[in-house]
């Protein structure tokens, strides 16, 4: 076999599972914030996170699974904010309601 080093790519850093998943979610959140769902490419998300596309699919199953985790994380942050008056809605049901909407929009 030839030289396995690719001069066009920076070497990936070894991260533990939680750190790698966090890096992928951060890159995905940035990608989905900047572009429409259809225009986000999992390979570019993986590259931005210093991971492989295969690892993204291993952790999240699909592009829509990755998007659901991004939405779920955003909703958790929103629900944790004291400004959201919890009497206006059942915050515990909010992620499932939004994810059902997202599922319909990403099919």
């Amino acid at each position: 076999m030839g030289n396995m080093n690719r001069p066009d790519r920076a070497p990936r850093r070894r991260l533990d599972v939680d750190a790698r998943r966090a890096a992928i979610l951060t890159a995905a959140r940035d990608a989905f914030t900047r572009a429409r769902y259809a225009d986000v490419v999992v390979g570019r998300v993986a590259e931005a996170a210093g991971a492989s596309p295969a690892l993204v699919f291993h952790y999240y199953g699909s592009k829509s699974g990755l998007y659901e985790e991004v939405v779920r994380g955003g909703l958790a942050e929103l629900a944790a904010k004291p400004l959201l008056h919890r009497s206006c809605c059942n915050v515990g049901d909010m992620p499932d309601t939004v994810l059902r909407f997202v599922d319909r929009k990403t099919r």
Side-chain angles (χ1 to χ4, degrees), residues 8-48:
D8 60 329
R9 289 190 182 171
R12 291 190 182 120
R13 291 181 340 174
R14 276 274 192 223
L15 298 176
D16 67 34
V17 172
D18 292 335
R20 179 63 69 202
R21 286 178 71 103
I24 292 168
L25 285 176
T26 297
R29 186 176 189 173
D30 184 56
F32 287 119
T33 299
R34 295 177 186 272
R36 296 178 315 137
Y37 176 86
D39 295 333
V40 172
V41 177
V42 171
R44 290 191 188 131
V45 170
E47 184 178 336

Side-chain angles (χ1 to χ4, degrees), residues 1-12 47 51-53:
M1 261 191 164
N3 184 353
M4 297 292 286
N5 293 331
R6 299 262 325 249
D8 60 329
R9 289 190 182 171
R12 291 190 182 120
E47 184 178 336
S52 69

Side-chain angles (χ1 to χ4, degrees), residues 46-92:
E47 184 178 336
S52 69
L55 189 59
V56 176
F57 287 114
H58 173 75
Y59 288 152
Y60 301 102
S62 64
K63 179 177 163 179
S64 64
L66 177 61
Y67 185 67
E68 285 179 16
E69 283 302 311
V70 168
V71 170
R72 195 181 311 274
L75 290 172
E77 287 178 23
L78 181 64
K81 295 201 181 282
L83 298 177
L84 182 62
H85 194 275
R86 279 149 175 75
S87 67
C88 73
C89 56
N90 185 346
V91 176

